[in-house]
Amino acid sequence: NSTRIVLASSSPRRKQILGNINLKFDTAKSNFEENLDKSSFSSPIEYVRETARQKILEVAQRLYQEEPPPELIIGADTIVTDGKNIFEKPSSKDHAIQMLTSFSGKSHKVLTCVVLVTPKSSKTFKGRDTLNDQLDITQFEEISEVFMPELPKEVIKSYVDTGESMDKAGGYGIQAIGGSLISGIRGDYFNVMGFPLHKFCVELRNIYKM
Amino acid sequence: NSTRIVLASSSPRRKQILGNINLKFDTAKSNFEENLDKSSFSSPIEYVRETARQKILEVAQRLYQEEPPPELIIGADTIVTDGKNIFEKPSSKDHAIQMLTSFSGKSHKVLTCVVLVTPKSSKTFKGRDTLNDQLDITQFEEISEVFMPELPKEVIKSYVDTGESMDKAGGYGIQAIGGSLISGIRGDYFNVMGFPLHKFCVELRNIYKM
């Protein structure tokens, strides 16, 4: 079948999660800079909503000028928060150590906003200025809580030395060596990996009336 | 390094989880029949403890007659329970549908017992009859709660038709397509997959005084 689905993310974890459910899709990396001023948002959730939206709109503006236009574009942004601060990808190993040290002995939250873009019934696109009128945008969030026990300094350091921290919000990957640092979660595990699979499947069934 | 570690399980999920933390190990399948009489145990946890123990002891009896004897044997057994009944691998597709239907709209628990076998300080083994005196056995459990929303019949049926149910306790695999059936968990995700990674790492540090 020729339905074109695009995952607007370069995260290998998101690719893997969607691959799990046998969805066929292309990927496209967003060129949005992800530099919104965090202090201008009233809460971490407002920040992640706007970042996710800007990321996917940048991709949609490009892809809806192509033939065939995608039937569905899937975008997402994930952050980690202690309720007040927003943690994204660490900028250095020291930064990763600092993040993990601040999570040690506490719980934190992983917040993902997913944005789904589908064309409105008319599939004729007439240039970028009217793009918003021609698309349906569905947006939802998922929050999971992650429990990290008190971690010895050396454990944090040797974890960061594996190199696993650098491309991951919060500085750890729960699906790999980082999983050994986590005593438990409350919520959707795949959300902690970066994509809330269950809610996504429910939304998809809503959109396509399945 | 020549430390021999053996995973006494043929579960590809357990292999993958332990592979995640870069542990080098061989695998050995237990020939224990796993046919203990469930009604003779006072609770599901007693049943899983004894099954896990019998499984690893069968492997240990064989392996400690080999050279070099393993430094560590890792065994585990996982069951699913609604508090009263014990669910293991389904015996047929209909059985899997029946299990998943009984989980739909409720939460259930995944219970894993891990058994670690290490030689006592003396490393000379003198035949199977004195095996128990020469080994240290560490045993612990982990329980995670899994939430399944009300699932339409067709969703359950088409999931079971993927074939994913058959070799998995409870009839689903959370790490693959089955993940889309789960709205959330409380506890260690890897335990739901079949091996409680975090507790294992903590126990390992205890055993080896790391």
Side-chain angles (χ1 to χ4, degrees), chain A residues 160-175:
Chain A
V160 171
D161 279 339
T162 65
E164 209 178 81
S165 299
M166 299 313 292
D167 65 333
K168 295 177 184 79
Y172 68 92
I174 194 174
Q175 70 289 342

Side-chain angles (χ1 to χ4, degrees), chain B residues 33-200:
Chain B
E33 276 208 49
E34 302 194 39
N35 56 1
L36 299 175
D37 176 13
K38 293 184 181 67
S39 66
S40 69
F41 293 90
S42 60
S43 67
I45 204 161
E46 297 299 332
Y47 170 81
V48 73
R49 270 181 194 147
E50 190 58 22
T51 301
R53 200 178 171 92
Q54 293 299 333
K55 276 163 76 175
I56 200 168
L57 286 180
E58 191 278 327
V59 172
Q61 279 186 334
R62 281 184 284 130
L63 296 191
Y64 281 105
Q65 294 173 42
E66 295 178 6
E67 278 301 328
E71 280 296 309
L72 170 67
I73 309 179
I74 305 162
D77 192 56
T78 299
I79 57 154
V80 169
T81 178
D82 56 9
K84 214 179 76 180
N85 302 295
I86 294 173
F87 302 90
E88 297 178 285
K89 289 167 191 155
S91 55
S92 65
K93 281 196 172 184
D94 280 347
H95 191 201
I97 289 174
Q98 193 188 315
M99 281 186 187
L100 292 169
T101 305
S102 84
F103 300 153
S104 171
K106 297 196 207 90
S107 79
H108 60 265
K109 289 189 168 120
V110 179
L111 222 155
T112 302
C113 177
V114 175
V115 188
L116 304 177
V117 168
T118 49
K120 284 204 161 71
S121 47
S122 149
K123 283 177 193 161
T124 325
F125 295 93
K126 289 159 188 153
R128 60 200 301 173
D129 52 348
T130 55
L131 190 69
N132 273 311
D133 304 332
Q134 300 175 66
L135 298 175
D136 278 323
I137 298 181
T138 308
Q139 196 157 355
F140 63 91
E141 300 85 35
E142 179 76 305
I143 302 180
S144 307
E145 194 170 5
V146 176
F147 302 91
M148 219 176 248
E150 202 82 53
L151 296 174
K153 263 188 191 175
E154 317 80 66
V155 169
I156 292 179
K157 193 175 173 311
S158 61
Y159 174 66
V160 171
D161 280 338
T162 67
E164 209 179 82
S165 299
M166 299 313 292
D167 64 334
K168 294 176 185 79
Y172 67 93
I174 194 174
Q175 70 289 339
I177 307 175
S180 66
L181 309 177
I182 309 287
S183 58
I185 70 165
R186 186 152 55 190
D188 184 342
Y189 168 83
F190 292 107
N191 182 44
V192 182
M193 265 181 79
F195 195 80
L197 183 64
H198 176 70
K199 262 201 183 169
F200 169 75

Side-chain angles (χ1 to χ4, degrees), chain A:
Chain A
N1 91 45
S2 65
T3 308
R4 190 177 174 209
I5 300 175
V6 176
L7 171 64
S9 169
S10 53
S11 154
R13 270 87 57 198
R14 294 199 182 112
K15 240 188 241 190
Q16 189 200 322
I17 294 168
L18 284 171
N20 274 351
I21 57 162
N22 295 340
L23 202 68
K24 299 278 167 286
F25 56 89
D26 304 328
T27 56
K29 194 185 175 324
S30 176
N31 296 323
F32 177 68
E33 274 209 49
E34 302 195 39
N35 56 2
L36 299 175
D37 177 12
K38 294 185 181 65
S39 67
S40 71
F41 293 91
S42 60
S43 68
I45 204 163
E46 297 299 332
Y47 170 81
V48 73
R49 270 182 194 148
E50 188 57 23
T51 300
R53 198 177 172 93
Q54 293 299 332
K55 276 164 75 176
I56 200 170
L57 286 180
E58 191 280 326
V59 173
Q61 280 186 335
R62 282 186 284 129
L63 296 192
Y64 281 105
Q65 294 172 41
E66 294 178 6
E67 277 301 328
E71 279 297 308
L72 171 67
I73 310 179
I74 304 161
D77 192 55
T78 300
I79 58 156
V80 169
T81 178
D82 56 9
K84 215 178 75 181
N85 302 294
I86 293 172
F87 302 90
E88 298 178 283
K89 290 168 188 151
S91 55
S92 66
K93 282 196 171 186
D94 281 347
H95 190 201
I97 290 174
Q98 193 187 312
M99 280 185 188
L100 292 169
T101 305
S102 84
F103 301 152
S104 170
K106 295 196 210 90
S107 79
H108 60 265
K109 287 187 170 124
V110 178
L111 222 153
T112 302
C113 177
V114 174
V115 188
L116 305 177
V117 168
T118 48
K120 284 202 160 72
S121 46
S122 149
K123 282 175 193 165
T124 325
F125 296 93
K126 289 159 186 153
R128 59 203 303 172
D129 51 349
T130 56
L131 191 68
N132 274 310
D133 305 332
Q134 300 176 64
L135 298 175
D136 277 323
I137 299 182
T138 308
Q139 197 157 356
F140 63 90
E141 300 86 35
E142 180 76 306
I143 302 180
S144 307
E145 194 170 6
V146 177
F147 302 91
M148 221 177 246
E150 202 82 56
L151 297 173
K153 264 187 192 174
E154 317 80 67
V155 169
I156 292 179
K157 195 178 169 309
S158 61
Y159 174 65
V160 171
D161 279 339
T162 65
E164 209 178 81
S165 299
M166 299 313 292
D167 65 333
K168 295 177 184 79
Y172 68 92
I174 194 174
Q175 70 289 342
I177 306 175
S180 66
L181 309 176
I182 309 288
S183 58
I185 70 166
R186 186 152 54 191
D188 184 343
Y189 168 83
F190 292 106
N191 182 43
V192 181
M193 265 181 82
F195 194 81
L197 184 63
H198 176 71
K199 263 200 182 170
F200 169 74
C201 291
V202 171
E203 287 294 339
L204 221 56
R205 271 189 259 155
N206 284 342
I207 290 176
Y208 293 106
K209 313 277 179 288
M210 288 189 293

